[in-house]
Amino acid sequence: MSILARDWAYSQALAAPAKPVLVALAEHVSGEGRECWPSVSRLARMTGYANGKCPARVF
């Protein structure tokens, strides 16, 4: 996890549906801050969104 990525994600002015997904993605950024590969099902669990709704919120 990159603390810088997480802090950056929290500081973004985003609407409620997008922000939890961004924060969840930030929790999975590599130490170098270059990669992020959580599964859609993991994002769904972390954000509380239904599995089919997460991709629409990411893209």
Short mmCIF file of all heavy atoms in Angstrom, two decimals:
data_model
loop_
_atom_site.label_atom_id
_atom_site.label_comp_id
_atom_site.label_asym_id
_atom_site.label_seq_id
_atom_site.Cartn_x
_atom_site.Cartn_y
_atom_site.Cartn_z
N MET A 1 0.84 -1.18 0.00
CA MET A 1 0.00 0.00 0.00
C MET A 1 0.89 1.25 0.00
O MET A 1 1.91 1.29 0.65
CB MET A 1 -0.90 0.02 1.22
CG MET A 1 -1.59 1.35 1.40
SD MET A 1 -2.49 1.58 2.93
CE MET A 1 -1.24 1.42 4.16
N SER A 2 0.46 2.22 -0.74
CA SER A 2 1.14 3.50 -0.77
C SER A 2 0.35 4.51 0.05
O SER A 2 -0.78 4.85 -0.30
CB SER A 2 1.28 3.99 -2.21
OG SER A 2 1.74 5.32 -2.22
N ILE A 3 0.95 4.98 1.12
CA ILE A 3 0.28 5.97 1.95
C ILE A 3 0.09 7.26 1.17
O ILE A 3 -0.95 7.92 1.30
CB ILE A 3 1.07 6.21 3.25
CG1 ILE A 3 1.03 4.93 4.10
CG2 ILE A 3 0.53 7.39 4.04
CD1 ILE A 3 1.94 4.96 5.29
N LEU A 4 1.05 7.61 0.34
CA LEU A 4 0.91 8.81 -0.48
C LEU A 4 -0.27 8.71 -1.43
O LEU A 4 -1.03 9.66 -1.60
CB LEU A 4 2.20 9.06 -1.28
CG LEU A 4 3.42 9.48 -0.47
CD1 LEU A 4 4.65 9.56 -1.37
CD2 LEU A 4 3.17 10.81 0.21
N ALA A 5 -0.43 7.54 -2.04
CA ALA A 5 -1.56 7.33 -2.96
C ALA A 5 -2.88 7.42 -2.21
O ALA A 5 -3.83 8.05 -2.68
CB ALA A 5 -1.44 5.99 -3.66
N ARG A 6 -2.94 6.82 -1.03
CA ARG A 6 -4.17 6.86 -0.24
C ARG A 6 -4.50 8.29 0.17
O ARG A 6 -5.62 8.75 0.04
CB ARG A 6 -4.04 5.98 0.99
CG ARG A 6 -5.37 5.87 1.74
CD ARG A 6 -5.21 5.43 3.17
NE ARG A 6 -4.34 6.38 3.85
CZ ARG A 6 -3.54 6.06 4.84
NH1 ARG A 6 -3.47 4.83 5.27
NH2 ARG A 6 -2.78 6.96 5.43
N ASP A 7 -3.50 9.02 0.66
CA ASP A 7 -3.73 10.41 1.07
C ASP A 7 -4.16 11.27 -0.10
O ASP A 7 -5.02 12.13 0.02
CB ASP A 7 -2.48 10.98 1.74
CG ASP A 7 -2.20 10.36 3.09
OD1 ASP A 7 -3.08 9.66 3.63
OD2 ASP A 7 -1.08 10.58 3.61
N TRP A 8 -3.54 11.04 -1.27
CA TRP A 8 -3.92 11.77 -2.47
C TRP A 8 -5.38 11.46 -2.83
O TRP A 8 -6.14 12.37 -3.16
CB TRP A 8 -2.99 11.40 -3.63
CG TRP A 8 -3.41 12.03 -4.92
CD1 TRP A 8 -3.11 13.29 -5.34
CD2 TRP A 8 -4.23 11.44 -5.93
NE1 TRP A 8 -3.69 13.51 -6.57
CE2 TRP A 8 -4.38 12.39 -6.95
CE3 TRP A 8 -4.84 10.20 -6.08
CZ2 TRP A 8 -5.13 12.15 -8.09
CZ3 TRP A 8 -5.58 9.96 -7.22
CH2 TRP A 8 -5.71 10.92 -8.20
N ALA A 9 -5.76 10.20 -2.76
CA ALA A 9 -7.13 9.80 -3.10
C ALA A 9 -8.14 10.49 -2.18
O ALA A 9 -9.16 11.00 -2.64
CB ALA A 9 -7.28 8.29 -3.02
N TYR A 10 -7.84 10.54 -0.89
CA TYR A 10 -8.75 11.20 0.05
C TYR A 10 -8.86 12.70 -0.22
O TYR A 10 -9.88 13.32 0.05
CB TYR A 10 -8.31 10.98 1.49
CG TYR A 10 -8.80 9.69 2.08
CD1 TYR A 10 -7.91 8.71 2.49
CD2 TYR A 10 -10.17 9.45 2.24
CE1 TYR A 10 -8.37 7.52 3.04
CE2 TYR A 10 -10.62 8.26 2.79
CZ TYR A 10 -9.71 7.30 3.19
OH TYR A 10 -10.16 6.12 3.73
N SER A 11 -7.80 13.30 -0.76
CA SER A 11 -7.81 14.75 -0.97
C SER A 11 -8.54 15.18 -2.25
O SER A 11 -8.77 16.37 -2.45
CB SER A 11 -6.37 15.28 -1.02
OG SER A 11 -5.74 14.90 -2.24
N GLN A 12 -8.93 14.22 -3.09
CA GLN A 12 -9.60 14.55 -4.34
C GLN A 12 -11.06 14.92 -4.10
O GLN A 12 -11.74 14.30 -3.30
CB GLN A 12 -9.51 13.38 -5.32
CG GLN A 12 -8.10 13.00 -5.69
CD GLN A 12 -7.29 14.18 -6.17
OE1 GLN A 12 -7.61 14.79 -7.19
NE2 GLN A 12 -6.24 14.51 -5.44
N ALA A 13 -11.51 15.93 -4.82
CA ALA A 13 -12.91 16.38 -4.71
C ALA A 13 -13.74 15.58 -5.70
O ALA A 13 -13.90 15.97 -6.85
CB ALA A 13 -13.00 17.87 -5.00
N LEU A 14 -14.22 14.44 -5.26
CA LEU A 14 -15.02 13.55 -6.11
C LEU A 14 -16.38 13.31 -5.48
O LEU A 14 -16.53 13.37 -4.26
CB LEU A 14 -14.32 12.20 -6.30
CG LEU A 14 -13.02 12.23 -7.06
CD1 LEU A 14 -12.36 10.85 -7.00
CD2 LEU A 14 -13.25 12.64 -8.50
N ALA A 15 -17.33 12.97 -6.32
CA ALA A 15 -18.67 12.60 -5.84
C ALA A 15 -18.58 11.28 -5.09
O ALA A 15 -17.67 10.47 -5.33
CB ALA A 15 -19.63 12.51 -7.01
N ALA A 16 -19.55 11.05 -4.25
CA ALA A 16 -19.56 9.85 -3.40
C ALA A 16 -19.40 8.53 -4.15
O ALA A 16 -18.67 7.67 -3.68
CB ALA A 16 -20.82 9.82 -2.55
N PRO A 17 -20.02 8.31 -5.29
CA PRO A 17 -19.84 6.98 -5.91
C PRO A 17 -18.41 6.70 -6.35
O PRO A 17 -17.95 5.58 -6.29
CB PRO A 17 -20.77 7.02 -7.12
CG PRO A 17 -21.75 8.08 -6.83
CD PRO A 17 -21.02 9.09 -5.99
N ALA A 18 -17.67 7.72 -6.78
CA ALA A 18 -16.32 7.50 -7.30
C ALA A 18 -15.25 7.47 -6.21
O ALA A 18 -14.27 6.74 -6.33
CB ALA A 18 -15.99 8.57 -8.32
N LYS A 19 -15.42 8.24 -5.18
CA LYS A 19 -14.37 8.38 -4.17
C LYS A 19 -14.04 7.07 -3.45
O LYS A 19 -12.86 6.75 -3.30
CB LYS A 19 -14.70 9.47 -3.17
CG LYS A 19 -13.50 9.85 -2.33
CD LYS A 19 -13.65 11.23 -1.78
CE LYS A 19 -12.35 11.70 -1.21
NZ LYS A 19 -12.41 13.11 -0.88
N PRO A 20 -15.02 6.30 -2.99
CA PRO A 20 -14.66 5.03 -2.33
C PRO A 20 -13.87 4.09 -3.24
O PRO A 20 -12.98 3.38 -2.79
CB PRO A 20 -16.00 4.42 -1.94
CG PRO A 20 -16.97 5.53 -1.98
CD PRO A 20 -16.45 6.53 -2.96
N VAL A 21 -14.19 4.10 -4.52
CA VAL A 21 -13.47 3.24 -5.46
C VAL A 21 -12.03 3.74 -5.62
O VAL A 21 -11.09 2.96 -5.61
CB VAL A 21 -14.19 3.16 -6.82
CG1 VAL A 21 -13.37 2.36 -7.83
CG2 VAL A 21 -15.57 2.56 -6.66
N LEU A 22 -11.85 5.05 -5.73
CA LEU A 22 -10.50 5.61 -5.85
C LEU A 22 -9.67 5.28 -4.61
O LEU A 22 -8.50 4.89 -4.72
CB LEU A 22 -10.57 7.12 -6.07
CG LEU A 22 -9.22 7.82 -6.21
CD1 LEU A 22 -8.46 7.29 -7.43
CD2 LEU A 22 -9.41 9.31 -6.30
N VAL A 23 -10.26 5.42 -3.44
CA VAL A 23 -9.54 5.11 -2.20
C VAL A 23 -9.18 3.63 -2.15
O VAL A 23 -8.07 3.26 -1.77
CB VAL A 23 -10.35 5.55 -0.96
CG1 VAL A 23 -9.71 5.04 0.32
CG2 VAL A 23 -10.48 7.07 -0.93
N ALA A 24 -10.11 2.76 -2.54
CA ALA A 24 -9.82 1.32 -2.55
C ALA A 24 -8.69 1.01 -3.53
O ALA A 24 -7.82 0.19 -3.24
CB ALA A 24 -11.08 0.53 -2.92
N LEU A 25 -8.70 1.66 -4.69
CA LEU A 25 -7.61 1.47 -5.64
C LEU A 25 -6.29 1.94 -5.04
O LEU A 25 -5.25 1.28 -5.18
CB LEU A 25 -7.89 2.22 -6.94
CG LEU A 25 -8.95 1.61 -7.83
CD1 LEU A 25 -9.36 2.60 -8.93
CD2 LEU A 25 -8.47 0.31 -8.45
N ALA A 26 -6.32 3.08 -4.36
CA ALA A 26 -5.11 3.62 -3.75
C ALA A 26 -4.54 2.67 -2.71
O ALA A 26 -3.32 2.59 -2.53
CB ALA A 26 -5.39 4.98 -3.12
N GLU A 27 -5.40 1.94 -2.02
CA GLU A 27 -4.94 0.96 -1.03
C GLU A 27 -4.14 -0.18 -1.66
O GLU A 27 -3.44 -0.90 -0.97
CB GLU A 27 -6.13 0.39 -0.25
CG GLU A 27 -6.83 1.39 0.65
CD GLU A 27 -6.02 1.72 1.90
OE1 GLU A 27 -5.11 0.96 2.28
OE2 GLU A 27 -6.33 2.76 2.50
N HIS A 28 -4.26 -0.33 -2.97
CA HIS A 28 -3.57 -1.43 -3.66
C HIS A 28 -2.41 -0.97 -4.53
O HIS A 28 -1.83 -1.77 -5.26
CB HIS A 28 -4.58 -2.20 -4.53
CG HIS A 28 -5.51 -3.02 -3.71
ND1 HIS A 28 -6.65 -2.50 -3.14
CD2 HIS A 28 -5.44 -4.32 -3.34
CE1 HIS A 28 -7.25 -3.45 -2.46
NE2 HIS A 28 -6.54 -4.56 -2.56
N VAL A 29 -2.04 0.29 -4.47
CA VAL A 29 -0.92 0.79 -5.27
C VAL A 29 0.36 0.20 -4.73
O VAL A 29 0.57 0.10 -3.52
CB VAL A 29 -0.88 2.34 -5.22
CG1 VAL A 29 0.39 2.87 -5.86
CG2 VAL A 29 -2.10 2.91 -5.93
N SER A 30 1.24 -0.19 -5.66
CA SER A 30 2.52 -0.79 -5.26
C SER A 30 3.38 0.24 -4.54
O SER A 30 3.12 1.44 -4.60
CB SER A 30 3.26 -1.30 -6.50
OG SER A 30 3.66 -0.21 -7.31
N GLY A 31 4.42 -0.23 -3.89
CA GLY A 31 5.32 0.64 -3.15
C GLY A 31 5.95 1.73 -4.01
O GLY A 31 6.21 2.82 -3.54
N GLU A 32 6.19 1.40 -5.28
CA GLU A 32 6.77 2.40 -6.18
C GLU A 32 5.71 3.35 -6.72
O GLU A 32 6.03 4.33 -7.39
CB GLU A 32 7.46 1.73 -7.38
CG GLU A 32 8.60 0.82 -7.01
CD GLU A 32 8.15 -0.63 -6.92
OE1 GLU A 32 7.16 -0.99 -7.58
OE2 GLU A 32 8.80 -1.39 -6.20
N GLY A 33 4.43 3.04 -6.50
CA GLY A 33 3.36 3.90 -6.98
C GLY A 33 3.07 3.77 -8.45
O GLY A 33 2.47 4.64 -9.06
N ARG A 34 3.46 2.65 -9.05
CA ARG A 34 3.29 2.48 -10.50
C ARG A 34 2.26 1.44 -10.90
O ARG A 34 1.84 1.40 -12.04
CB ARG A 34 4.62 2.10 -11.13
CG ARG A 34 5.67 3.15 -10.95
CD ARG A 34 6.97 2.70 -11.52
NE ARG A 34 8.01 3.64 -11.17
CZ ARG A 34 9.03 3.89 -11.92
NH1 ARG A 34 9.19 3.27 -13.06
NH2 ARG A 34 9.93 4.76 -11.53
N GLU A 35 1.88 0.57 -9.99
CA GLU A 35 0.96 -0.52 -10.33
C GLU A 35 -0.17 -0.62 -9.32
O GLU A 35 0.02 -0.31 -8.14
CB GLU A 35 1.70 -1.85 -10.39
CG GLU A 35 2.73 -1.91 -11.47
CD GLU A 35 3.42 -3.25 -11.52
OE1 GLU A 35 3.31 -4.04 -10.56
OE2 GLU A 35 4.10 -3.51 -12.52
N CYS A 36 -1.30 -1.09 -9.83
CA CYS A 36 -2.47 -1.27 -8.98
C CYS A 36 -3.33 -2.34 -9.64
O CYS A 36 -3.89 -2.10 -10.72
CB CYS A 36 -3.21 0.06 -8.88
SG CYS A 36 -4.70 -0.04 -7.90
N TRP A 37 -3.45 -3.50 -9.02
CA TRP A 37 -4.15 -4.62 -9.66
C TRP A 37 -5.16 -5.32 -8.75
O TRP A 37 -5.18 -6.54 -8.69
CB TRP A 37 -3.13 -5.64 -10.16
CG TRP A 37 -2.22 -5.10 -11.19
CD1 TRP A 37 -0.92 -4.69 -11.01
CD2 TRP A 37 -2.50 -4.87 -12.57
NE1 TRP A 37 -0.39 -4.23 -12.18
CE2 TRP A 37 -1.35 -4.33 -13.17
CE3 TRP A 37 -3.63 -5.06 -13.36
CZ2 TRP A 37 -1.29 -3.99 -14.50
CZ3 TRP A 37 -3.57 -4.71 -14.70
CH2 TRP A 37 -2.41 -4.19 -15.25
N PRO A 38 -6.03 -4.62 -8.05
CA PRO A 38 -7.03 -5.35 -7.27
C PRO A 38 -8.09 -5.95 -8.19
O PRO A 38 -8.34 -5.43 -9.28
CB PRO A 38 -7.65 -4.27 -6.39
CG PRO A 38 -7.51 -3.04 -7.21
CD PRO A 38 -6.20 -3.18 -7.94
N SER A 39 -8.69 -7.02 -7.77
CA SER A 39 -9.75 -7.63 -8.57
C SER A 39 -11.04 -6.81 -8.40
O SER A 39 -11.20 -6.06 -7.43
CB SER A 39 -10.00 -9.07 -8.13
OG SER A 39 -10.52 -9.09 -6.82
N VAL A 40 -11.94 -6.97 -9.35
CA VAL A 40 -13.23 -6.29 -9.27
C VAL A 40 -13.99 -6.77 -8.03
O VAL A 40 -14.61 -5.97 -7.33
CB VAL A 40 -14.05 -6.52 -10.56
CG1 VAL A 40 -15.47 -5.98 -10.40
CG2 VAL A 40 -13.36 -5.87 -11.74
N SER A 41 -13.90 -8.06 -7.73
CA SER A 41 -14.61 -8.56 -6.55
C SER A 41 -14.04 -7.98 -5.26
O SER A 41 -14.77 -7.68 -4.32
CB SER A 41 -14.59 -10.09 -6.51
OG SER A 41 -13.27 -10.57 -6.43
N ARG A 42 -12.74 -7.76 -5.20
CA ARG A 42 -12.14 -7.13 -4.02
C ARG A 42 -12.59 -5.68 -3.90
O ARG A 42 -12.92 -5.21 -2.81
CB ARG A 42 -10.61 -7.19 -4.07
CG ARG A 42 -9.98 -6.54 -2.85
CD ARG A 42 -8.51 -6.77 -2.81
NE ARG A 42 -8.29 -8.19 -2.62
CZ ARG A 42 -7.57 -8.71 -1.64
NH1 ARG A 42 -6.98 -7.91 -0.78
NH2 ARG A 42 -7.43 -9.99 -1.51
N LEU A 43 -12.61 -4.95 -5.02
CA LEU A 43 -13.11 -3.57 -4.99
C LEU A 43 -14.56 -3.53 -4.52
O LEU A 43 -14.94 -2.66 -3.75
CB LEU A 43 -12.98 -2.92 -6.37
CG LEU A 43 -11.58 -2.59 -6.84
CD1 LEU A 43 -11.62 -2.06 -8.27
CD2 LEU A 43 -10.90 -1.59 -5.91
N ALA A 44 -15.34 -4.48 -5.00
CA ALA A 44 -16.75 -4.54 -4.59
C ALA A 44 -16.87 -4.77 -3.08
O ALA A 44 -17.66 -4.11 -2.40
CB ALA A 44 -17.48 -5.63 -5.36
N ARG A 45 -16.06 -5.69 -2.53
CA ARG A 45 -16.09 -5.95 -1.09
C ARG A 45 -15.65 -4.72 -0.29
O ARG A 45 -16.22 -4.40 0.73
CB ARG A 45 -15.18 -7.13 -0.74
CG ARG A 45 -15.79 -8.48 -1.03
CD ARG A 45 -15.00 -9.60 -0.39
NE ARG A 45 -13.56 -9.56 -0.64
CZ ARG A 45 -12.94 -10.10 -1.68
NH1 ARG A 45 -13.64 -10.74 -2.60
NH2 ARG A 45 -11.64 -10.03 -1.81
N MET A 46 -14.61 -4.05 -0.76
CA MET A 46 -14.07 -2.91 -0.02
C MET A 46 -15.00 -1.70 -0.05
O MET A 46 -15.02 -0.92 0.91
CB MET A 46 -12.71 -2.50 -0.58
CG MET A 46 -11.60 -3.49 -0.30
SD MET A 46 -10.04 -2.96 -1.01
CE MET A 46 -9.59 -1.67 0.15
N THR A 47 -15.73 -1.52 -1.13
CA THR A 47 -16.56 -0.33 -1.29
C THR A 47 -18.02 -0.56 -0.94
O THR A 47 -18.77 0.40 -0.75
CB THR A 47 -16.50 0.18 -2.73
OG1 THR A 47 -16.96 -0.84 -3.62
CG2 THR A 47 -15.08 0.59 -3.11
N GLY A 48 -18.45 -1.82 -0.92
CA GLY A 48 -19.85 -2.12 -0.66
C GLY A 48 -20.72 -2.07 -1.89
O GLY A 48 -21.92 -2.26 -1.82
N TYR A 49 -20.12 -1.81 -3.05
CA TYR A 49 -20.88 -1.81 -4.30
C TYR A 49 -21.07 -3.24 -4.78
O TYR A 49 -20.24 -4.11 -4.52
CB TYR A 49 -20.16 -1.02 -5.39
CG TYR A 49 -20.10 0.45 -5.11
CD1 TYR A 49 -18.89 1.12 -5.10
CD2 TYR A 49 -21.25 1.19 -4.87
CE1 TYR A 49 -18.81 2.46 -4.84
CE2 TYR A 49 -21.19 2.55 -4.61
CZ TYR A 49 -19.96 3.17 -4.60
OH TYR A 49 -19.90 4.51 -4.35
N ALA A 50 -22.15 -3.47 -5.51
CA ALA A 50 -22.37 -4.79 -6.10
C ALA A 50 -21.27 -5.06 -7.11
O ALA A 50 -20.74 -4.14 -7.74
CB ALA A 50 -23.74 -4.84 -6.79
N ASN A 51 -20.91 -6.32 -7.25
CA ASN A 51 -19.81 -6.72 -8.13
C ASN A 51 -19.96 -6.15 -9.54
O ASN A 51 -19.01 -5.71 -10.14
CB ASN A 51 -19.74 -8.25 -8.19
CG ASN A 51 -18.33 -8.75 -8.30
OD1 ASN A 51 -17.38 -7.99 -8.33
ND2 ASN A 51 -18.19 -10.05 -8.36
N GLY A 52 -21.17 -6.14 -10.08
CA GLY A 52 -21.37 -5.63 -11.43
C GLY A 52 -21.34 -4.13 -11.54
O GLY A 52 -21.20 -3.58 -12.62
N LYS A 53 -21.45 -3.42 -10.43
CA LYS A 53 -21.47 -1.95 -10.47
C LYS A 53 -20.08 -1.34 -10.37
O LYS A 53 -19.87 -0.23 -10.80
CB LYS A 53 -22.32 -1.40 -9.33
CG LYS A 53 -23.76 -1.83 -9.38
CD LYS A 53 -24.46 -1.15 -10.51
CE LYS A 53 -25.93 -1.54 -10.50
NZ LYS A 53 -26.64 -1.05 -11.65
N CYS A 54 -19.12 -2.05 -9.79
CA CYS A 54 -17.78 -1.48 -9.61
C CYS A 54 -17.11 -1.09 -10.92
O CYS A 54 -16.60 0.01 -11.01
CB CYS A 54 -16.91 -2.47 -8.84
SG CYS A 54 -16.52 -1.86 -7.19
N PRO A 55 -17.09 -1.93 -11.93
CA PRO A 55 -16.39 -1.53 -13.15
C PRO A 55 -16.94 -0.25 -13.77
O PRO A 55 -16.20 0.59 -14.24
CB PRO A 55 -16.59 -2.71 -14.10
CG PRO A 55 -16.84 -3.85 -13.21
CD PRO A 55 -17.57 -3.29 -12.02
N ALA A 56 -18.25 -0.06 -13.72
CA ALA A 56 -18.84 1.16 -14.27
C ALA A 56 -18.35 2.38 -13.52
O ALA A 56 -18.18 3.45 -14.07
CB ALA A 56 -20.36 1.06 -14.20
N ARG A 57 -18.10 2.24 -12.23
CA ARG A 57 -17.63 3.35 -11.44
C ARG A 57 -16.13 3.60 -11.65
O ARG A 57 -15.65 4.70 -11.47
CB ARG A 57 -17.91 3.09 -9.97
CG ARG A 57 -19.38 2.86 -9.72
CD ARG A 57 -19.78 3.34 -8.37
NE ARG A 57 -21.11 2.97 -8.01
CZ ARG A 57 -22.20 3.55 -8.48
NH1 ARG A 57 -22.12 4.48 -9.39
NH2 ARG A 57 -23.38 3.17 -8.06
N VAL A 58 -15.39 2.58 -12.02
CA VAL A 58 -13.95 2.73 -12.24
C VAL A 58 -13.69 3.37 -13.60
O VAL A 58 -12.86 4.26 -13.74
CB VAL A 58 -13.23 1.36 -12.16
CG1 VAL A 58 -11.78 1.49 -12.57
CG2 VAL A 58 -13.34 0.81 -10.76
N PHE A 59 -14.41 2.92 -14.60
CA PHE A 59 -14.16 3.42 -15.95
C PHE A 59 -15.09 4.52 -16.22
O PHE A 59 -15.42 5.06 -17.06
CB PHE A 59 -14.30 2.30 -16.97
CG PHE A 59 -13.40 1.15 -16.66
CD1 PHE A 59 -13.89 -0.04 -16.20
CD2 PHE A 59 -12.03 1.28 -16.81
CE1 PHE A 59 -13.06 -1.10 -15.91
CE2 PHE A 59 -11.18 0.23 -16.52
CZ PHE A 59 -11.71 -0.97 -16.07
#
